[in-house]
Amino acid sequence: MRGVALRGSVVCAHCVTQETFDVVVIGGGPVGENAAARAVRGGLSVALVEHERYGGECSYWACMPSKALLRPGNALAAARRVPGVPVGDRLDPGPVFQRRDAFAEHWDDGGQERWVRETGIHPVRGHGRITGEGEVTVGDRVLRAEHAVVVCTGSVARLPELPGLADARPWTSREATAASTVPGRLAVLGGGVVGVEMAQAWARLGARVELIIRGDRPLPAFPEFAGDAVADGLRADGVTLHLGADAADVSRVDGEVRVGLADGRRVAADELLVATGRRPATDELGMETLGLVSGDRLDVDDSGLVRAVPGGWLYAAGDVTGRAPLTHQGKYAARVVGDVIAARASGADVRPRPWTAYAATADHHAVPQVVFTDPEVAAVGVTGARRPEHREVEIDLAVAGSALQADGYTGRVRIVVDGERDVLVGATLVGQDVAEMVHAATVAIVGEVPLQRLWHAVPVFPSMNEVWLRLLEELGL
């Protein structure tokens, strides 16, 4: 391990401190933390640059606070479906917000920074910008990377170009997960994951929610039965769905937000959440220094190496690559990157061979995702038949375990199998509490477990996992 070496100072109009590390990671969220920690574990010195909060988007404005807002409503709904459980009529927003704030560490990253230091990573506060090969400038500090610079800056909300939107002061996912006052009326623009999760969370907290969706159903990236089930769940919570609706303009008048739709209708609300997707956060990172375009994703190979930059020194992981924009998948890629850099620094001939420690192969085959609405949607791999050899099997999630889970349980499962290789390649589950079932499908896909062998994985009775037996029976096993 080289350790940290000061290269001295250059004094002109400003004092510039130059410091040398083995690795410089830009972005201190979960992805950057994982890349840095793995490189340190490999014996390298690492600087971790963060301009906002260590812990990143996931800890303070996304995964953790959003699920903390959703969980109480899901628990209340689940309790109502089991006779004899005493429940109230509604959520109490105050304790919900307090619990959310605790999970977000009250937006204080002191604990996260302590973890960084205790792990042996050198924290650097400020905005990092690539200013040369292996060089990152942070204010008046120049950080030199002997082996690699890793970009883990994540993504930012993408706002559509709508007349009046900027002046209307809309919410993005950050405001939607951090607000501590329930608006009387909330309009949500966008029917993707953030849109449906936040629409349901705030409706259950007491807001009157209107969800504006361009398509025929929410969650267009998932099978139709998933979107339809979530739409029914939203309507059951009082959410008004505007389907096939294009927003034309937005205004805020006397505190009221007004969304004009292309068909002439207008939706009025106290707040507007714009949930129309995200884009890689590569602005102001010095992309032009590398001949790249600010705002574009960084295209990487399976080892995390940025293809367009010669020299083998620039890596990236997480949302910024556009490969699999999910926190858990970004952390997985970051672990690969950290291990790759450490191995290459030791002189090893590391190549990203599939399913090795040096390749994020799962990005292409088994990316699990859960939409934490009620009902939940959990999916991994392909969501439908894409090739002639693919076969779909779809059944209701109607087994003894689901009947015990909730009175009137409704759910559905689809699997996709590769008939030539006789293995599972995709699964989609919809229903209450299916999030904890998707990992079984993930293991089967990654392990390429033959269906004949999978048949011997006997599900516990009475549990919802018995649906796997029913699916295999549908396949003739």
Side-chain angles (χ1 to χ4, degrees), residues 216-239:
D216 297 331
R217 59 181 54 80
L219 300 179
F222 294 85
E224 292 183 359
F225 70 86
D228 289 339
V230 170
D232 290 344
L234 291 169
R235 291 189 182 101
D237 284 320
V239 177

Side-chain angles (χ1 to χ4, degrees), residues 189-281:
L189 183 59
V193 176
V194 173
V196 296
E197 286 188 346
M198 290 297 93
Q200 191 163 52
W202 285 102
R204 287 178 164 181
L205 285 165
R208 190 164 73 250
V209 179
E210 299 196 51
L211 180 59
I212 303 166
I213 302 174
R214 296 184 67 179
D216 297 331
R217 59 181 54 80
L219 300 179
F222 294 85
E224 292 183 359
F225 70 86
D228 289 339
V230 170
D232 290 344
L234 291 169
R235 291 189 182 101
D237 284 320
V239 177
T240 300
L241 273 63
H242 300 273
L243 302 177
D246 275 316
D249 60 77
V250 179
S251 61
R252 185 181 284 272
V253 180
D254 296 330
E256 180 181 80
V257 180
R258 300 170 185 174
V259 182
L261 305 182
D263 62 6
R265 289 177 293 163
R266 300 196 77 80
V267 175
D270 300 300
E271 299 292 350
L272 168 65
L273 164 60
V274 178
T276 51
R278 300 181 68 82
R279 62 176 180 81

Side-chain angles (χ1 to χ4, degrees), residues 83-265:
V85 179
V87 295
D89 294 330
R90 70 187 80 175
L91 296 177
D92 183 350
V96 173
F97 293 144
Q98 290 172 10
R99 185 170 185 264
R100 184 270 320 271
D101 293 353
F103 274 105
E105 299 292 341
H106 301 276
W107 291 271
D108 181 350
D109 69 345
Q112 291 284 120
E113 184 176 353
R114 282 193 296 276
W115 176 88
V116 169
R117 294 184 185 278
E118 290 168 358
T119 305
I121 303 165
H122 186 80
V124 177
R125 294 275 186 179
H127 187 92
R129 182 181 179 85
I130 298 172
T131 48
E133 181 173 333
E135 181 181 280
V136 177
T137 298
V138 185
D140 60 0
R141 303 170 70 177
V142 175
L143 311 179
R144 294 288 309 167
E146 289 286 325
H147 293 291
V149 172
V150 188
V151 179
C152 302
T153 49
S155 61
V156 293
R158 178 189 289 115
L159 298 180
E161 294 184 3
L162 282 176
L165 181 61
D167 293 334
R169 305 184 302 281
W171 281 5
T172 66
S173 56
R174 285 197 167 196
E175 289 77 17
T177 56
S180 294
T181 301
V182 180
R185 301 168 299 168
L186 174 65
V188 180
L189 183 59
V193 176
V194 173
V196 296
E197 286 188 346
M198 290 297 93
Q200 191 163 52
W202 285 102
R204 287 178 164 181
L205 285 165
R208 190 164 73 250
V209 179
E210 299 196 51
L211 180 59
I212 303 166
I213 302 174
R214 296 184 67 179
D216 297 331
R217 59 181 54 80
L219 300 179
F222 294 85
E224 292 183 359
F225 70 86
D228 289 339
V230 170
D232 290 344
L234 291 169
R235 291 189 182 101
D237 284 320
V239 177
T240 300
L241 273 63
H242 300 273
L243 302 177
D246 275 316
D249 60 77
V250 179
S251 61
R252 185 181 284 272
V253 180
D254 296 330
E256 180 181 80
V257 180
R258 300 170 185 174
V259 182
L261 305 182
D263 62 6
R265 289 177 293 163

Side-chain angles (χ1 to χ4, degrees), residues 1-4 20-24 39-40 43-47 120:
M1 176 174 171
R2 284 182 178 76
V4 181
T20 299
F21 298 86
D22 292 321
V23 182
V24 176
V40 166
L44 303 180
S45 62
V46 181

Side-chain angles (χ1 to χ4, degrees), residues 159-411:
L159 298 180
E161 294 184 3
L162 282 176
L165 181 61
D167 293 334
R169 305 184 302 281
W171 281 5
T172 66
S173 56
R174 285 197 167 196
E175 289 77 17
T177 56
S180 294
T181 301
V182 180
R185 301 168 299 168
L186 174 65
V188 180
L189 183 59
V193 176
V194 173
V196 296
E197 286 188 346
M198 290 297 93
Q200 191 163 52
W202 285 102
R204 287 178 164 181
L205 285 165
R208 190 164 73 250
V209 179
E210 299 196 51
L211 180 59
I212 303 166
I213 302 174
R214 296 184 67 179
D216 297 331
R217 59 181 54 80
L219 300 179
F222 294 85
E224 292 183 359
F225 70 86
D228 289 339
V230 170
D232 290 344
L234 291 169
R235 291 189 182 101
D237 284 320
V239 177
T240 300
L241 273 63
H242 300 273
L243 302 177
D246 275 316
D249 60 77
V250 179
S251 61
R252 185 181 284 272
V253 180
D254 296 330
E256 180 181 80
V257 180
R258 300 170 185 174
V259 182
L261 305 182
D263 62 6
R265 289 177 293 163
R266 300 196 77 80
V267 175
D270 300 300
E271 299 292 350
L272 168 65
L273 164 60
V274 178
T276 51
R278 300 181 68 82
R279 62 176 180 81
T282 54
D283 299 305
E284 300 181 7
L285 274 179
M287 293 294 99
E288 64 281 358
T289 303
L290 308 173
L292 303 178
V293 179
S294 292
D296 284 358
R297 71 183 184 93
L298 293 175
D299 180 44
V300 298
D301 68 12
D302 282 357
S303 74
L305 193 65
V306 177
R307 300 180 200 268
V309 177
W313 61 274
L314 185 64
Y315 293 77
D319 286 11
V320 76
T321 68
R323 282 170 62 110
L326 298 157
T327 297
H328 48 272
Q329 213 68 23
K331 291 164 66 175
Y332 158 72
R335 293 191 290 270
V336 169
V337 167
D339 289 350
V340 165
I341 292 170
R344 286 175 175 163
S346 71
D349 181 18
V350 172
R351 300 179 186 180
R353 296 184 178 89
W355 303 118
T356 66
Y358 305 126
T361 313
D363 284 357
H364 308 297
H365 304 282
V367 177
Q369 181 176 10
V370 174
V371 185
F372 289 90
T373 46
D374 180 22
E376 291 175 338
V377 178
V380 61
V382 298
T383 56
R386 294 182 180 176
R387 300 176 180 174
E389 66 270 22
H390 285 177
R391 178 184 173 189
E392 293 180 11
V393 174
E394 185 176 315
I395 63 174
D396 286 337
L397 208 173
V399 292
S402 60
L404 286 166
Q405 195 79 358
D407 281 7
Y409 191 100
T410 58

